[in-house]
Coordinates of all heavy atoms in Angstrom, one line a residue:
Q78 N -3.9 15.8 -9.0 CA -4.3 16.7 -7.9 C -5.0 18.0 -8.5 O -6.0 18.5 -7.9 CB -3.1 17.2 -7.1 CG -2.5 16.1 -6.3 CD -1.1 16.5 -5.6 OE1 -0.6 17.6 -6.0 NE2 -0.5 15.6 -4.9
L79 N -4.5 18.5 -9.6 CA -5.2 19.6 -10.3 C -6.7 19.2 -10.6 O -7.6 20.1 -10.5 CB -4.4 20.0 -11.4 CG -4.9 21.3 -12.2 CD1 -4.8 22.6 -11.2 CD2 -4.0 21.5 -13.4
D80 N -6.8 18.0 -11.1 CA -8.1 17.5 -11.5 C -9.1 17.5 -10.3 O -10.3 17.9 -10.4 CB -8.0 16.2 -12.2 CG -9.4 15.7 -12.8 OD1 -10.0 16.5 -13.5 OD2 -9.7 14.5 -12.5
V81 N -8.6 17.0 -9.2 CA -9.3 17.0 -8.0 C -9.8 18.4 -7.6 O -10.9 18.6 -7.2 CB -8.6 16.2 -6.9 CG1 -9.2 16.4 -5.6 CG2 -8.5 14.7 -7.2
S82 N -8.8 19.3 -7.6 CA -9.1 20.7 -7.3 C -10.1 21.4 -8.2 O -11.0 22.0 -7.7 CB -7.7 21.5 -7.3 OG -6.9 21.0 -6.3
V83 N -10.0 21.0 -9.4 CA -10.9 21.6 -10.4 C -12.4 21.1 -10.1 O -13.4 21.8 -10.1 CB -10.5 21.4 -11.8 CG1 -11.7 21.6 -12.8 CG2 -9.3 22.1 -12.2
A84 N -12.4 19.7 -9.9 CA -13.7 19.2 -9.5 C -14.3 19.8 -8.2 O -15.6 20.1 -8.2 CB -13.6 17.6 -9.4
S85 N -13.5 20.1 -7.3 CA -13.9 20.6 -6.0 C -14.4 22.1 -6.3 O -15.4 22.5 -5.8 CB -12.8 20.7 -5.0 OG -13.2 21.3 -3.8
L86 N -13.7 22.9 -7.2 CA -14.1 24.2 -7.5 C -15.4 24.1 -8.2 O -16.2 25.1 -8.1 CB -13.1 24.9 -8.4 CG -11.8 25.4 -7.6 CD1 -10.7 25.9 -8.5 CD2 -12.2 26.5 -6.7
E87 N -15.6 23.2 -9.2 CA -16.8 23.1 -10.0 C -18.0 22.9 -8.9 O -19.0 23.5 -9.1 CB -16.8 22.0 -10.9 CG -16.0 22.2 -12.2 CD -15.9 21.1 -13.0 OE1 -16.3 19.9 -12.7 OE2 -15.4 21.1 -14.2
Q88 N -17.8 22.1 -7.9 CA -18.9 21.9 -6.9 C -19.2 23.0 -6.2 O -20.3 23.4 -5.9 CB -18.4 20.6 -6.0 CG -18.5 19.4 -6.7 CD -19.9 19.0 -7.3 OE1 -20.9 19.2 -6.6 NE2 -19.8 18.4 -8.4
A89 N -18.1 23.8 -5.8 CA -18.3 25.1 -5.0 C -19.0 26.1 -5.9 O -19.9 26.8 -5.4 CB -16.9 25.6 -4.6
T90 N -18.6 26.1 -7.2 CA -19.3 27.1 -8.1 C -20.8 26.7 -8.2 O -21.6 27.6 -8.2 CB -18.7 27.1 -9.5 OG1 -17.2 27.3 -9.3 CG2 -19.2 28.0 -10.4
L91 N -21.2 25.4 -8.4 CA -22.5 25.1 -8.4 C -23.3 25.4 -7.1 O -24.4 25.9 -7.2 CB -22.6 23.6 -8.7 CG -22.2 23.1 -10.1 CD1 -22.2 21.6 -10.1 CD2 -23.1 23.6 -11.2
R92 N -22.7 25.2 -6.0 CA -23.3 25.6 -4.7 C -23.5 27.1 -4.6 O -24.5 27.6 -4.3 CB -22.5 25.1 -3.5 CG -22.7 23.5 -3.3 CD -22.1 23.1 -2.0 NE -20.7 23.5 -1.8 CZ -19.6 22.8 -2.1 NH1 -19.8 21.6 -2.7 NH2 -18.4 23.2 -1.9

Side-chain angles (χ1 to χ4, degrees):
Q78 291 172 355
L79 187 61
D80 185 50
V81 169
S82 296
V83 167
S85 177
L86 283 173
E87 284 177 351
Q88 290 301 316
T90 303
L91 290 173
R92 286 193 304 272

